[in-house]
Amino acid sequence: MQLVEFVPPVRHPLWTLCLQMGIDSVVIKVNPAVTGLPDPWRFPTLSKIVAGLKAAGLRVVGLEGDPFDMTPVKAYGASDDPGGRYGEADGTARPAEEMREAAFAHYRELLESMARLDIRLLCYNFMVGPGWSRTGVRSIRGGALAPYFSKAESDAAYTKTGSSAQSLRLTKEQVWANYACFLNAVLPTASRLGVRMALHPDDPCLPALGGYARIFETVADFDRAYALDPCASNAVTFCQANFKLMGADLFETARHFGTRIAFIHVRDVAGDKTDFTELFHDQGTTDPFALMRTCRSLGLDVPVRCDHVPEMEGDRLLSTDFVPGYGTMGRLFANGYLRALLKGTEPSA
């Protein structure tokens, strides 16, 4: 198992802190919104981003999140685009089909660029609309601020904007059709290149959110995705808290997926999928050592990272664009805990 961090793709104090923690392998998000660089699928762009991290002593082993706007793929056929066209910044519009095909081409080119740089992991999701969603922060141990999600609060917020949980812009059947089309368009390329596409659960794992159906809220949904193309590149991100919130037994789930697991996110939560709070990595009801031993017993040798840490004292002094769940101080604590977790579960330990 390899301890990695999810770091900003531009210079950040976490880069140096990773090296000081003994972490030299990282995963990054290359969306232009965070890099400031257009066309991340192009080799010159991606290689420039990777070179910047390499110069700082960090090796990029994976990409995570949408690499660019995936709306034309994920929201294809949405009822709020009745003309089947997407607007451009200059006021023009392009047919939805044309936009989707262009996105597929960009994604395939991204996979080619990744392979040239020996980046063999792509953690992705198929959440339409809101994507990863939290409704605020709650005070936990020592006054640390932890992200939480409340379905009641979320529903109320969408109601204020005129949205309705009962009126779906995309149904489950439509989202599944979009996902199958996406997989058919890009997975053969990933398989040919030896890049593993590790599907992340919906977060939160609800039937719908913000007017869009969600399709990855159970283990069975992941099996359905795998059945579309049961190749080694059709893999899983074992995000522990999300599968816990599904009501799944984490030990049984790990054994069920086995070597389909290509990436592990270590995290725990209190509550259920309609109302939960994220915790420090040494809190929660999951036995992390026993779970990691189970993963090791499956022969897994994959990247492992901490996920969603509470905000601790001093966090906002280190980052002017602080995002709850992705602070720096909490990661220092989490990575120390994970290093001990990995060391303590080594086969010889």
Side-chain angles (χ1 to χ4, degrees), residues 319-340:
S319 179
T320 57
D321 55 350
F322 181 84
V323 177
Y326 287 96
T328 299
M329 301 300 291
R331 296 205 222 185
L332 302 182
F333 174 85
N335 283 312
Y337 186 81
L338 262 64
R339 183 168 291 284

Side-chain angles (χ1 to χ4, degrees), residues 106-124:
H106 295 333
Y107 216 96
R108 289 190 292 266
E109 186 175 346
L110 174 71
L111 292 166
E112 297 276 1
S113 298
M114 290 174 62
R116 288 180 64 183
L117 293 164
D118 198 27
I119 302 171
R120 305 292 172 175
L121 171 68
L122 175 53
C123 173
Y124 75 103

Side-chain angles (χ1 to χ4, degrees), residues 9-183:
V10 295
R11 175 65 71 169
H12 189 276
L14 191 58
W15 287 20
T16 301
L17 290 171
C18 278
L19 297 176
Q20 293 174 351
M21 289 185 286
I23 299 173
D24 60 9
S25 295
V26 297
V27 294
I28 59 171
K29 186 173 184 177
V30 295
N31 193 292
V34 291
T35 66
L37 299 174
D39 304 344
W41 54 85
R42 299 192 184 282
F43 181 76
T45 304
L46 186 58
S47 60
K48 179 179 180 179
I49 296 168
V50 170
L53 286 136
K54 183 179 180 180
L58 299 172
R59 182 171 68 99
V60 176
V61 298
L63 305 186
E64 185 163 348
D66 285 349
F68 50 86
D69 182 16
M70 292 291 288
T71 303
V73 173
K74 295 181 179 181
Y76 182 82
S79 61
D80 52 353
D81 183 32
R85 305 176 70 85
Y86 290 95
E88 299 286 357
D90 61 2
T92 62
R94 295 172 63 188
E97 182 70 22
E98 180 182 323
M99 291 287 284
R100 182 168 71 166
E101 290 303 317
F104 289 156
H106 295 333
Y107 216 96
R108 289 190 292 266
E109 186 175 346
L110 174 71
L111 292 166
E112 297 276 1
S113 298
M114 290 174 62
R116 288 180 64 183
L117 293 164
D118 198 27
I119 302 171
R120 305 292 172 175
L121 171 68
L122 175 53
C123 173
Y124 75 103
N125 68 75
F126 212 77
M127 292 181 276
V128 192
W132 181 76
S133 182
R134 298 294 183 268
T135 47
V137 294
R138 289 170 175 158
S139 179
I140 58 170
R141 187 172 70 194
L145 299 176
Y148 78 91
F149 175 80
S150 163
K151 183 177 182 301
E153 293 180 22
S154 178
D155 288 348
Y158 283 115
T159 299
K160 286 182 180 179
T161 64
S163 301
S164 170
Q166 285 70 45
S167 178
L168 293 179
R169 299 181 179 94
L170 281 176
T171 65
K172 278 189 180 294
E173 291 74 18
Q174 288 174 301
V175 179
W176 267 114
N178 287 349
Y179 177 71
C181 188
F182 165 72
L183 215 61

Side-chain angles (χ1 to χ4, degrees), residues 235-272:
V236 174
T237 294
F238 186 45
C239 187
Q240 296 170 355
N242 284 121
F243 284 105
K244 178 180 179 178
L245 289 168
M246 291 177 189
D249 179 284
L250 291 180
F251 296 88
E252 291 180 3
T253 302
R255 287 189 286 265
H256 175 75
F257 287 140
T259 55
R260 285 168 57 190
I261 296 173
F263 195 18
I264 298 175
H265 288 183
V266 180
R267 181 163 61 99
D268 210 341
V269 291
D272 60 35

